[in-house]
Amino acid sequence: MRLLSRAGKSLSRTAIQALPVVLGIVVLNFLLLQLVPGDAADVIAGESGSATAETMAALRKQFGLDQPVLIQLANYLDHLAHLSLGFSPRYNTPVGDLIMSRLPFTLLLMLSAFVLSLVVGIAFGAFMAAFARRWPDRALSLFVLILYSAPGFWVGLMIIVLFSVKLGWLPSGGAMTVGADLTGLARMGDLLTHLVLPSISLACFFTAVYARLTRSAMLEVERQDFVRAAEAKGLGPFAIQMRHVLRNALIPVTTVAGLHLGNLLGGAIVVETVFGWPGMGRLALDAVMARDFNVLLGVLLLSSFVVIVANVLIDLLHAWLDPRIESV
Amino acid sequence: MSTNMTSLPVTLLAVPAAKNGRLSAFLRQPTFVAGLLILGVVMTLACVADLLYPGDPQDLVGPPLLWPFQKTEFQLGTDSLGRDIAAGLVHGARVSLIIGFSAASIGLLIGTLVGAVGGYFGGLADNVLVRVTELFQTVPAFLLVVVIVAIGEPSLKVIALAIGIASWPTIARLVRAQFRSLREQDFVMAARSLGYSDTRIIFVEILPNALPPVVVTASVMVAGAILTETGLSFLNMGDPNVVSWGSMIGDGREMLRTAWFLTALPGTATALTVLALNLIGDGLNEIFNPRMRER
């Protein structure tokens, strides 16, 4: 019940603070994109190869690209107010449909990478903190630092070489086996085997971030009085580490995790390209290339939305981890 | 020093001794020294690239797809077009370092200015700047870099600027927090009562005291900029006129099944350079954060 009212408070506060930010993102990105040389009509004409000045003008008129910038902006905002993300000249479909067809794949990839990096990162961090300054800590720290330094997409390419080229265990790309026409559980299983390598590739950098953060946060918490109190009342070292130290150390870790969600989508752009994963990152990149700015604006808007919602969830997680934290 | 203040030579010696103390604190850390060594080697190779491998590294100089150590002439092999991998790596080091350091400097400059102004003045200016910072943090940084590079042209200058613009919010938050705590301190009060201008207080009085955590973050920013550039040129959005590690990985990707060394080598070079910068960052962190040093 307390969590529920907290959720309401957190949501309404976020809505008040986040709406101007979202609006700012839309307007700023819209104006920024006007600076990009060329428009969708240029790209479509360039690809068909037989465009005259008349057909270009017709194309621009059809997509509303011939209007002054401010009118275009007003039109876009008007669409948004009607919960429409506009129309994609490139794909000839509403942007909303386009994004919805890609969104599940990106959410699946981001979520699995996020969970994987949090679980593995916190486990690594707790292990390193338990052996702080001894050789298991040093060895794992070095490994984590290497994960922190290697480009994620390159790790992806290397695990393709190992797991799909040399060992043949996992598929190297795509989201489903082409032409396999599976249904039900078999289809799920197929999707999951395709998900493994991209998730690892996207997760490795963030695993390192959370592992390093967990280690230092746990070492920080270990020095506090309540840990000594727990020791004095005779709790075992494992119970102290798990229930008292780790629980408190999770607060900075989850805060940073929330901040990193936007970067997770940025990383997904390259990882989706490596693995041919049909997600939003890939869509965004194609949209830049095709000057399809309605699509790009939609992706940017939605990703900021995901970040904002995730931060509300993290706020709730904090309330559960440490009941003293009140929403401000 | 206090026992023998009258003797001039001793006081003269005392100053370098104190500096040595700081220096040896740095050199006592094996990880920091290892990072410096690796970065030193990469920097040296980048500097003497034209002496070691004169000519354009994009030239086709040998038979295609030689594996490393197969021929003494091409120690690290050749790619699918017959370009020398070793030459590409050495010239690519130059691109990565230039982008890394210039992008980080741009990010540092913007972030420090925004953070200092917001943290020092507070009030409305702070409110607006915090909102702008949040705005930039909500947009995926990599996507922003892609858009800015599309606005300009894929040249080293534009790429460095784009990465700098996308990376300043971290620094801004850090500097703002530092300024907010430092502006309440006595030495700032003293500076105010002496009638110093705001500009002088910000840059001469507070900024030097706020720098240590910024220096630590700067090395991580250089590392991040190098990683971003690698990703960008992997996607074929880098400067087409130079060889960079990312474009080498991108070219090698086509041959992943048969000649995986084409991808492995430039990736290892990137990871090693970034690792060196992170080792340096960790070392700086331990020295500037006395609380961490106790452990």
Side-chain angles (χ1 to χ4, degrees):
Chain A
M1 199 56 223
R2 196 180 56 83
L3 267 182
L4 259 181
S5 79
R6 168 75 184 248
K9 245 190 248 168
S10 179
L11 263 179
S12 60
R13 187 187 75 238
T14 314
I16 295 167
Q17 284 185 352
L19 268 181
V21 172
V22 171
L23 199 68
I25 287 174
V26 171
V27 173
L28 198 82
N29 284 317
F30 190 90
L31 297 177
L32 196 63
L33 290 178
Q34 296 300 322
L35 295 174
V36 181
D39 61 13
D42 286 326
V43 175
I44 293 174
E47 279 175 358
S48 72
S50 60
T52 58
E54 285 80 33
T55 55
M56 298 267 291
L59 276 175
R60 291 214 167 87
K61 193 166 169 56
Q62 186 192 339
F63 304 134
L65 295 172
D66 54 344
Q67 310 266 345
V69 173
L70 284 180
I71 306 273
Q72 284 190 45
L73 177 60
N75 281 340
Y76 188 79
L77 290 177
D78 182 52
H79 278 303
L80 268 191
H82 294 91
L83 296 181
S84 152
L85 289 171
F87 193 81
S88 158
R90 165 86 178 175
Y91 294 92
N92 216 12
T93 29
V95 174
D97 297 355
L98 204 57
I99 287 181
M100 277 307 150
S101 71
R102 301 291 192 100
L103 187 65
F105 288 104
T106 286
L107 282 185
L108 190 65
L109 177 61
M110 278 175 67
L111 200 72
S112 62
F114 190 60
V115 172
L116 185 70
S117 58
L118 266 182
V119 171
V120 177
I122 290 170
F124 277 10
F127 182 84
M128 290 193 288
F131 291 93
R133 304 254 158 208
R134 278 175 282 159
W135 71 263
D137 172 38
R138 303 260 184 216
L140 194 58
S141 288
L142 186 66
F143 175 69
V144 164
L145 202 62
I146 291 172
L147 278 189
Y148 191 59
S149 308
F153 69 90
W154 176 72
V155 175
L157 289 167
M158 291 293 105
I159 55 180
I160 287 179
V161 171
L162 182 61
F163 288 107
S164 53
V165 178
K166 299 283 175 204
L167 296 173
W169 289 354
L170 290 163
S172 64
M176 276 160 211
T177 312
V178 179
D181 228 5
L182 300 166
T183 47
L185 272 180
R187 194 185 149 93
M188 279 285 281
D190 188 43
L191 185 66
L192 288 182
T193 53
H194 281 86
L195 184 64
V196 176
L197 292 186
S199 304
I200 295 175
S201 165
L202 184 56
C204 61
F205 173 78
F206 298 96
T207 305
V209 173
Y210 305 145
R212 286 159 62 91
L213 211 62
T214 307
R215 177 184 183 272
S216 64
M218 282 183 76
L219 291 181
E220 189 84 20
V221 174
E222 261 171 13
R223 292 143 48 99
Q224 294 192 12
D225 288 340
F226 68 83
V227 176
R228 200 173 306 145
E231 272 165 15
K233 77 179 179 185
L235 283 182
F238 188 75
I240 294 177
Q241 285 290 328
M242 286 298 133
R243 290 194 44 126
H244 295 270
V245 177
L246 185 60
R247 184 170 179 157
N248 283 286
L250 283 183
I251 289 166
V253 176
T254 45
T255 308
V256 172
L259 281 175
H260 269 297
L261 267 176
N263 294 341
L264 204 59
L265 187 76
I269 298 177
V270 196
V271 170
E272 282 173 5
T273 307
V274 168
F275 288 94
W277 187 257
M280 259 186 0
R282 186 68 223 169
L283 183 69
L285 193 67
D286 289 342
V288 177
M289 295 302 177
R291 306 287 185 255
D292 194 343
F293 298 138
N294 278 350
V295 171
L296 195 55
L297 278 171
V299 172
L300 283 168
L301 187 67
L302 209 72
S303 63
S304 52
F305 206 70
V306 170
V307 173
I308 288 164
V309 170
N311 281 311
V312 172
L313 293 179
I314 279 164
D315 190 49
L316 291 178
L317 187 65
H318 283 177
W320 176 70
L321 284 171
D322 186 351
R324 288 171 308 178
I325 299 178
E326 265 304 315
S327 52
V328 193
Chain B
M1 201 175 131
S2 57
T3 51
N4 208 347
M5 281 299 279
T6 46
S7 151
L8 192 63
V10 172
T11 42
L12 274 181
L13 276 174
V15 179
K19 275 195 176 160
N20 275 340
R22 195 62 176 271
L23 194 69
S24 68
F26 278 105
L27 294 181
R28 261 202 302 276
Q29 298 199 10
T31 50
F32 181 78
V33 174
L36 270 190
L37 280 179
I38 300 174
L39 189 67
V41 169
V42 176
M43 279 183 155
T44 316
L45 283 177
C47 286
V48 298
D50 284 330
L51 293 175
L52 281 177
Y53 297 97
D56 191 344
Q58 285 178 318
D59 285 345
L60 319 180
V61 288
L65 290 177
L66 275 183
W67 278 70
F69 312 119
Q70 209 178 336
K71 261 197 177 160
T72 43
E73 201 184 340
F74 305 108
Q75 279 293 335
L76 295 179
T78 55
D79 71 359
S80 57
L81 296 174
R83 292 176 290 201
D84 190 355
I85 300 284
L89 285 182
V90 171
H91 283 269
R94 184 181 282 190
V95 172
S96 286
L97 290 177
I98 290 175
I99 291 278
F101 283 98
S102 49
S105 317
I106 294 168
L108 273 177
L109 189 72
I110 305 176
T112 308
L113 279 179
V114 169
V117 169
Y120 180 74
F121 292 107
L124 183 67
D126 187 37
N127 245 327
V128 172
L129 289 176
V130 166
R131 285 280 168 278
V132 174
T133 314
E134 273 178 6
L135 205 150
F136 271 84
Q137 275 201 318
T138 317
V139 179
F142 191 78
L143 205 49
L144 190 63
V145 173
V146 168
V147 170
I148 298 176
V149 172
I151 293 174
E153 43 172 11
S155 68
L156 291 186
K157 268 184 208 157
V158 174
I159 294 170
L161 185 71
I163 298 175
I165 290 177
S167 63
W168 63 265
T170 332
I171 292 288
R173 289 173 79 106
L174 195 67
V175 173
R176 176 177 174 269
Q178 286 277 312
F179 267 71
R180 277 169 71 90
S181 69
L182 286 174
R183 71 167 179 196
E184 308 295 343
Q185 303 222 343
D186 289 342
F187 72 92
V188 178
M189 182 85 81
R192 276 214 190 95
S193 58
L194 282 172
Y196 289 176
S197 67
D198 284 337
T199 329
R200 179 163 176 184
I201 295 178
I202 289 178
F203 289 105
V204 184
E205 301 297 328
I206 304 185
L207 193 58
N209 289 293
L211 275 185
V214 177
V215 172
V216 174
T217 315
S219 70
V220 180
M221 272 179 85
V222 177
I226 290 178
L227 285 179
T228 308
E229 193 278 333
T230 309
L232 201 64
S233 48
F234 170 74
L235 293 176
N236 236 341
M237 299 196 71
D239 191 331
N241 299 316
V242 294
V243 172
S244 86
W245 290 338
S247 67
M248 289 174 77
I249 297 177
D251 292 343
R253 187 185 162 212
E254 313 290 323
M255 305 268 131
L256 196 60
R257 281 173 190 279
T258 48
W260 53 268
F261 70 93
L262 291 178
T263 310
L265 288 174
T268 311
T270 314
L272 211 59
T273 309
V274 174
L275 181 70
L277 286 159
N278 285 328
L279 285 173
I280 292 172
D282 283 2
L284 290 175
N285 195 26
E286 298 230 353
I287 288 151
F288 285 133
N289 273 340
R291 274 201 307 166
M292 300 284 289
R293 216 187 314 170
E294 291 163 22
R295 295 183 200 127

